[in-house]
Amino acid sequence: MKSTLVILSNRYPYPPGEEFLQAELEVLSKEFEKIILIPTNRDTANKKQWGREVPNNVEVIHIFENDRTSVFFRVLHVFTNRRNRKWFFKELSQSLNYGWKAPLVMLNWLSIACEIKDKLQLALDHLDQHIFYSYWLTPSALALTMLKEEGLNAKCVSRVHGGDLYAERHQPAYIPFQEKILLGLDHTYTISENGLSYLTKKYSGLENKLSVQRLGTKTTRSADHIKGNKHSSVLRIVSCSYLKPVKRIHLLAEALKHCQFPIEWTHIGDGPERGKIEETIKELPEQMKVNLLGNKKNDEIMEIYRTNEFDLFVNVSESEGIPVTIMEAFSFGIPAMATDVGGTSEIVNSENGILLKKDLQALDIASNLAYFYGLTDEEKAKKSRCAYDTWNQKYNAAKNYKEFATLLKD
C-alpha cells in the first residue's frame, strides 16, 4: 500500500500565517497520491469557511472540531496518564534551570502535545502506513515523538524555522523538549545553514538526525524578463512584514526623515505598530510618498511584484530564520537590503543587495538607501539579475520541494 503523507501545520489552510506553505503543498501534492493536512491550533476548529484552497488530493482534517475541553482538564490529563506524566518529570529539571515560568511553559506544551497525540490516534487509521511531517518543531513534533516512543512504526520528521529554533527569542530563553524531540524523530530539517549550525553546536551527537532543506517560492517572471527597471529619479522601495517590534519597520520610517532624495515606499502587511508608523509618516518631507497596503494574500503580493517596478526590497528585522519575503522579492529580480540576522546572510550579499549589521539606527538605513540610490542603472540591473539567479539556484520551490518529497518517500 502506498504511504499517505500527513502534514501537521499550525493553522494552514486557515489564516493568518504560513502563506509560504502553499507553494510547498502544491509540489508535494504532485508527488504523493494522498496528503492529509491537519491544522493543530485549536483556533481553527470552527473556521472552515475561511480556509484557503488546497489541491484535490489534499484532505483537511479538523481534529479539534466540537472539542470544548477546558485548559484544566487538558493539564489534568498530563498527570492522570502514566506515559504523559513520565514526559513531564523527564523535562522538569531541565525547565527549572530557566526560572519559575519555564515549567509552566513546558506543561502547556506537553498538554497540547498530549491532545494532538490522542486526536491523531482517533482521527487516522493504520498510522504505521503514513509518513508524518510536522511543519514546526512545536507541540505537534513533540506529539509525533511521543507516538514513536509508544511504538508508532512510521517515518516522522519535522522542519524547524526560527521561532521554534532559537531559544534566545523567548522569555525565558527556553524551548521545551527540544533535544528530546530531535532525538526521537527520524529526521529534522532546518531551513538554513545557520539553523543547522545552531543545533549541532547546542546538542552533540545529533549530526545524523539533522540536515538542511531550504524553503522556496514560485514566480511568474522568467530570467529573460530580469533586465533591471527603467531609469527613475525616485527610489522605489518595498517591504513586507507583520508590523510588530521585532520587524523594526518603525526604523525604516524614521530613516526616510534623513534622506535628501525622493523615495516611494510601499509596505505590505499590518499589525499593532501601524499607528506608531503612521505618526512617523506624517513627519516625513514632501519628497517622500508612502503606501501602506495592509495585509494581502500571497497571490496578491505576487501580483503587486509583477505589476510594479521596485528598485529595492528592505528588511530590517532584528531576528529571522531565513526570510521567505526576500526569496519572493528575488524571484522577481528585486535586490534586497537586509540585516545580518539568522540565516539572512545565506541569501543576501553584496552581489544581490546590501547586508546590514544587526544593531543599526535609522541613520544607518538612510545612508545605505543613499548608497543604493547613487548606483548607476547598470549596477542596479546587475544586482537585479544576481537576485534572480540566487533565487533560481537556491530557493526555487519547484526544485527544492521536489527534492524534499524524494527524501520523504525514500
Side-chain angles (χ1 to χ4, degrees):
M1 181 180 291
K2 292 187 177 180
S3 297
T4 296
L5 177 64
V6 180
I7 302 176
L8 306 181
S9 67
N10 178 28
R11 287 187 172 89
Y12 199 88
Y14 304 101
E18 296 175 305
E19 289 84 2
F20 35 87
L21 183 49
Q22 179 178 342
E24 181 170 354
L25 190 60
E26 288 179 8
V27 176
L28 293 179
S29 69
K30 296 173 183 175
E31 300 296 323
F32 286 88
E33 186 176 10
K34 182 179 180 180
I35 293 177
I36 296 173
L37 176 60
I38 301 178
T40 57
N41 192 306
R42 295 180 68 90
D43 294 347
T44 63
N46 299 304
K47 290 187 176 180
K48 289 184 180 180
Q49 68 273 28
W50 304 108
R52 305 174 179 98
E53 290 187 11
V54 297
N56 292 332
N57 64 332
V58 175
E59 178 187 1
V60 180
I61 292 182
H62 307 84
I63 58 174
F64 290 112
E65 190 170 17
N66 300 319
D67 186 309
R68 294 179 174 83
T69 307
S70 68
V71 174
F72 173 79
F73 283 106
R74 296 204 297 271
V75 171
L76 184 63
H77 182 51
V78 171
F79 296 104
T80 56
N81 180 287
R82 181 180 58 82
R83 282 174 166 163
N84 297 347
R85 193 166 59 243
K86 178 183 170 185
W87 277 90
F88 175 82
F89 286 109
K90 278 199 301 184
E91 184 71 10
L92 182 59
S93 60
Q94 174 73 8
S95 66
L96 286 169
N97 292 328
Y98 298 89
W100 66 270
K101 287 185 179 179
L104 299 179
V105 174
M106 181 268 287
L107 179 58
N108 181 57
W109 262 58
L110 183 56
S111 67
I112 295 170
C114 292
E115 269 200 302
I116 294 171
K117 172 177 69 80
D118 294 344
K119 297 290 186 182
L120 289 176
Q121 290 173 312
L122 290 172
L124 302 175
D125 296 324
H126 310 296
L127 268 68
D128 289 346
Q129 296 172 4
H130 300 328
I131 298 170
F132 289 89
Y133 163 32
S134 175
Y135 197 66
W136 305 92
L137 204 71
T138 51
S140 59
L142 176 56
L144 296 181
T145 308
M146 296 171 78
L147 284 170
K148 292 281 284 187
E149 188 185 68
E150 293 176 15
L152 175 64
N153 186 27
K155 187 171 186 176
C156 295
V157 305
S158 180
R159 278 197 190 274
V160 60
H161 300 251
D164 54 341
L165 170 63
Y166 303 106
E168 296 75 17
R169 291 194 187 182
H170 300 270
Q171 190 58 250
Y174 166 64
I175 296 179
F177 301 100
Q178 190 173 70
E179 184 176 19
K180 295 177 179 64
I181 296 171
L182 296 174
L183 283 166
L185 295 178
D186 292 294
H187 209 83
T188 298
Y189 300 96
T190 65
I191 64 170
S192 69
E193 295 289 347
N194 181 273
L196 178 63
S197 175
Y198 176 87
L199 288 176
T200 52
K201 287 177 181 177
K202 189 173 183 179
Y203 306 114
S204 60
L206 286 172
E207 291 79 7
N208 293 334
K209 290 261 189 177
L210 300 167
S211 60
V212 177
Q213 276 295 304
R214 299 187 187 279
L215 299 179
T217 64
K218 300 186 301 178
T219 189
T220 56
R221 187 164 290 181
S222 67
D224 294 338
H225 291 92
I226 308 299
K227 300 175 182 177
N229 292 328
K230 298 175 184 176
H231 176 76
S232 174
S233 60
V234 178
L235 180 63
R236 298 155 297 192
I237 64 175
V238 60
S239 53
C240 180
S241 73
Y242 190 53
L243 296 179
K244 59 182 180 179
V246 70
K247 297 300 182 181
R248 300 196 294 195
I249 297 298
H250 65 280
L251 280 182
L252 177 53
E254 288 284 346
L256 300 191
K257 294 181 182 179
H258 304 287
C259 295
Q260 306 301 314
F261 51 91
I263 294 177
E264 181 174 355
W265 170 34
T266 299
H267 180 77
I268 305 166
D270 215 329
E273 289 234 312
R274 182 174 181 127
K276 177 181 178 180
I277 292 164
E278 286 175 334
E279 288 301 311
T280 303
I281 290 170
K282 292 177 183 177
E283 302 170 3
L284 295 179
E286 290 183 359
Q287 74 266 25
M288 302 300 169
K289 180 181 178 182
V290 180
N291 309 305
L292 298 181
L293 302 186
N295 291 330
K296 297 290 181 183
K297 296 178 181 178
N298 190 253
D299 290 343
E300 294 173 325
I301 296 172
M302 298 302 99
E303 185 64 11
I304 289 168
Y305 291 157
R306 190 185 70 81
T307 56
N308 291 271
E309 289 192 342
F310 295 114
D311 301 303
L312 185 66
F313 182 92
V314 181
N315 178 313
V316 291
S317 178
E318 67 177 346
S319 180
E320 287 285 357
I322 189 164
V324 175
T325 52
I326 294 179
M327 300 174 201
E328 291 172 338
F330 275 14
S331 74
F332 287 85
I334 306 171
M337 183 172 81
T339 41
D340 186 5
V341 293
T344 301
S345 62
E346 295 171 37
I347 183 170
V348 179
N349 54 51
S350 60
E351 299 296 317
N352 57 34
I354 302 169
L355 198 61
L356 304 171
K357 61 184 181 180
K358 175 185 176 180
D359 299 317
L360 47 67
Q361 303 298 322
L363 279 172
D364 299 311
I365 300 170
S367 64
N368 279 280
L369 289 174
Y371 161 75
F372 189 88
Y373 180 74
L375 295 177
T376 66
D377 290 347
E378 290 74 18
E379 289 170 325
K380 291 176 183 175
K382 183 179 179 181
K383 284 186 181 291
S384 180
R385 289 191 293 271
C386 287
Y388 181 87
D389 289 344
T390 299
W391 169 81
N392 193 37
Q393 293 163 13
K394 298 174 70 175
Y395 302 102
N396 186 321
K399 297 177 183 178
N400 290 3
Y401 296 140
K402 187 174 178 64
E403 177 184 326
F404 184 53
T406 301
L407 287 173
L408 292 176
K409 291 188 291 185
D410 184 8

